[in-house]
Amino acid sequence: HCIDPIKAITNIRQILRPAGRLIIEVPNNAAVGFEKYGIYWPWTDLPRHLNYFTEQSLKKIVSTCGLYISAAKFVGYARQFSPEWISDQSSIWKVIGNGRRPNFCAGAWRLLARTIVAPNYIKYDSVRIHAQL
């Protein structure tokens, strides 16, 4: 939700203790769900999300700010098929949708079939980076 993520991470780096760690988790822009649903994908979270990241782009920003990346993890696969997620998609569509309403429940099954054996970098809805000085 930062206008300037590089400045935000740089500011955090300046106050981080020598053994301190920074953990950043953001929506995964490389996720198939993001590609498939766009603005109806709950993690798009318009208008609060100003920047979108992949694992590679987030690693690059964190490294550029002078931090060492100790781990990169993907999280949030199963929630994309939960009733709450599907309900959120419907709610988003009610506010900003036009045309015929998509069947988000059937779409969840199609997404599951498309991603069940997919690589993690496109399967999971979020990417988390662990970094330190």
Side-chain angles (χ1 to χ4, degrees):
H1 309 286
C2 301
I3 292 172
D4 186 346
I6 292 175
K7 184 171 183 165
I9 295 169
T10 299
N11 289 342
I12 291 167
R13 185 186 183 281
Q14 291 174 355
I15 61 171
L16 202 60
R17 292 184 179 172
R21 297 182 191 276
L22 170 64
I23 300 172
I24 302 173
E25 183 176 326
V26 296
N28 178 14
N29 191 43
V32 172
F34 184 86
E35 173 193 324
K36 179 176 174 53
Y37 291 110
I39 61 174
Y40 305 124
W41 197 56
W43 274 192
T44 304
D45 201 13
L46 296 172
R48 294 184 325 139
H49 284 156
L50 305 174
N51 300 283
Y52 296 92
F53 302 96
T54 63
E55 175 193 16
Q56 293 78 20
S57 65
L58 188 57
K59 280 181 171 179
K60 184 174 182 179
I61 287 173
V62 171
S63 295
T64 297
C65 294
L67 294 168
Y68 164 75
I69 297 165
S70 56
K73 301 178 181 195
F74 293 96
V75 294
Y77 179 62
R79 66 180 159 217
Q80 297 177 88
F81 315 108
S82 71
E84 294 83 8
W85 186 277
I86 294 165
S87 176
D88 286 348
Q89 287 180 304
S90 294
S91 297
I92 294 165
W93 185 87
K94 286 177 186 173
V95 173
I96 60 177
N98 59 13
R100 188 172 158 215
R101 182 185 173 276
N103 183 335
F104 293 112
C105 187
W109 284 104
R110 286 190 296 274
L111 181 62
L112 177 64
R114 184 171 172 195
T115 59
I116 193 115
V117 295
N120 290 346
Y121 74 94
I122 63 171
K123 182 176 191 170
Y124 288 84
D125 64 36
S126 297
V127 60
R128 183 183 301 154
I129 300 292
H130 294 230
Q132 58 195 64
L133 289 175

